[in-house]
């Protein structure tokens, strides 16, 4: 729990930084962002702060509660670990494309200090070695095969997911172009 308590403090600082950069609060982290980690003022930096300040903070609190109640937090831990690794990818790509990281950068270097195989000795073995919780509902293979034989339009949830992904892909590409300073008028206005 101590590891998650420290990380939840860092997540709270990230939330404060992102709220300050968006103008909701002021005077809390201006010097730190200006002198220590200027990349946090970029689009990817602010989004990393929001993600860490909201999603990771919630995951840390949920895992702390689960540990306190002696419940399984395997799924939460695996989701957190995957999210942390994806934050590293965003962090690296954003800094390669945009502003560099100064030598004083310390707030977002935490994921590099804890690679997945070297998490705190009390955390990694517990998260990774626990067996998944038994599933309460199992479907026979014949029922699964029958459902998969149906056409896409006969499966409304799958069709909705495909439509959502088809709409999200161009929007994600557009936002990537905005971050890369595309000279198009639509990117500038966005």
């Amino acid at each position: 729990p101590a590891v998650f308590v420290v990380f939840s403090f860092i997540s709270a600082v990230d939330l404060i930084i992102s709220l300050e950069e968006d103008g909701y609060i002021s005077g809390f982290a201006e010097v730190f962002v200006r002198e220590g980690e200027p990349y946090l003022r970029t689009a990817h930096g602010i989004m990393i702060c929001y993600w860490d300040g909201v999603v990771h903070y919630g995951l840390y609190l949920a895992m702390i509660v689960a540990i306190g109640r002696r419940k399984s937090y395997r799924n939460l831990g695996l989701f957190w670990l995957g999210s942390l690794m994806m934050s590293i990818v965003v962090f690296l790509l954003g800094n390669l494309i945009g502003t560099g990281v100064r030598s004083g950068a310390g707030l977002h270097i935490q994921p590099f200090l804890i690679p997945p195989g070297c998490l705190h000795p009390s955390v990694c073995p517990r998260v990774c070695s626990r067996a998944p919780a038994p599933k309460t509902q199992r479907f026979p293979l014949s029922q699964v095969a029958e459902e998969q034989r149906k056409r896409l339009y006969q499966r409304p949830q799958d069709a909705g997911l495909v439509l959502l992904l088809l709409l999200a892909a161009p929007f994600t590409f557009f936002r990537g172009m905005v971050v890369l300073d595309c000279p198009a008028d639509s990117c500038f206005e966005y």
Side-chain angles (χ1 to χ4, degrees), residues 70-133:
R70 303 217 185 273
K71 302 274 183 177
S72 173
Y73 58 96
R74 180 182 190 274
N75 291 340
L76 290 171
L78 291 175
F79 183 79
W80 165 73
L81 191 59
S83 176
L84 193 65
M85 293 300 108
M86 288 310 298
S87 292
I88 289 174
V89 170
V90 172
F91 176 79
L92 288 175
L93 289 176
N95 282 299
L96 288 173
I97 292 171
T99 59
V101 180
R102 292 185 183 178
S103 61
L107 186 63
H108 289 91
I109 221 70
Q110 57 150 347
F112 296 104
L113 301 176
I114 3 172
C118 304
L119 281 173
H120 192 272
S122 67
V123 176
C124 187
R126 290 182 191 174
V127 170
C128 297
S129 66
R130 289 186 184 208

Side-chain angles (χ1 to χ4, degrees), residues 106-170:
L107 186 63
H108 289 91
I109 221 70
Q110 57 150 347
F112 296 104
L113 301 176
I114 3 172
C118 304
L119 281 173
H120 192 272
S122 67
V123 176
C124 187
R126 290 182 191 174
V127 170
C128 297
S129 66
R130 289 186 184 208
K135 297 187 180 195
T136 57
Q137 183 180 11
R138 296 185 188 245
F139 298 102
L141 291 177
S142 60
Q143 186 179 0
V144 172
E146 178 185 333
E147 193 67 27
Q148 289 179 346
R149 270 189 242 115
K150 292 181 181 177
R151 300 257 185 229
L152 184 60
Y153 63 84
Q154 294 173 326
R155 300 174 297 183
Q157 290 178 332
D158 292 344
L161 178 62
V162 168
L163 180 66
L164 178 69
L165 292 175
L166 288 175
L167 294 174

